[in-house]
Amino acid sequence: ACIARVVDPKFFAKRVESSHGAHGAGGSGVGSAVSKLLLAATSVGVAASFSAPIGGVIFSLELMLPQTYDAFAYWGCFTASVVGSICYAVERSVTTGASGLLPLISSNVLPGEGIDTDFPILRLLIDIALGIVCGLAGGFWGKSHGYTPG
């Protein structure tokens, strides 16, 4: 969307004046083409940055739900996210000289290395207790902000 603005300064003006939106008579009204382009750009940006196409779509859904949700915008964001993530994965593999696609997260820890415990059940119970405490603390934190003025 930003590149389109630089290449053709009247790019958005033409689409805002369109009463049909991005896809003919089924558009959401004035300016819907611009909104859908920006949502797709946001979606592909999040998807390529974090290699998470579904995360990009969900983020775009959070942005568009109050105003411009329709199936066309959703599928546009989904398609842009998937294509962006695939292009990023291929480009990353090609530029690093890999023979195939690289994993998203890799580690040099070999099987059998790391910290073992003699009490796995106790470790599990401690982890569950910490999760409960942190969840309650987060809930308390959110609730306490409901009482603050401003």
Side-chain angles (χ1 to χ4, degrees), residues 11-137:
F11 181 79
F12 290 121
K14 288 186 250 179
R15 275 133 190 98
V16 169
E17 293 168 4
S18 167
S19 63
H20 298 298
H23 60 286
S28 300
V30 175
S32 65
V34 174
S35 298
K36 289 171 186 162
L37 284 171
L38 290 175
L39 288 171
T42 303
S43 179
V44 77
V46 171
S49 297
F50 299 107
S51 293
I54 303 301
V57 173
I58 291 172
F59 182 72
S60 292
L61 278 173
E62 288 177 16
L63 293 176
M64 76 173 156
L65 274 179
Q67 294 91 10
T68 61
Y69 179 75
D70 63 354
F72 184 79
Y74 173 77
W75 284 108
C77 288
F78 180 76
T79 304
S81 294
V82 170
V83 170
S85 291
I86 290 171
C87 288
Y88 173 71
V90 169
E91 181 180 349
R92 185 175 56 133
S93 296
V94 167
T95 57
T96 58
S99 60
L101 290 178
L102 296 173
L104 179 60
I105 299 173
S106 61
S107 172
N108 59 356
V109 178
L110 299 173
E113 290 183 350
I115 299 174
D116 287 332
T117 178
D118 294 331
F119 307 103
I121 301 298
L122 178 64
R123 171 80 186 259
L124 178 65
L125 292 175
I126 291 172
D127 289 344
I128 290 172
L130 281 173
I132 291 170
V133 167
C134 290
L136 290 173

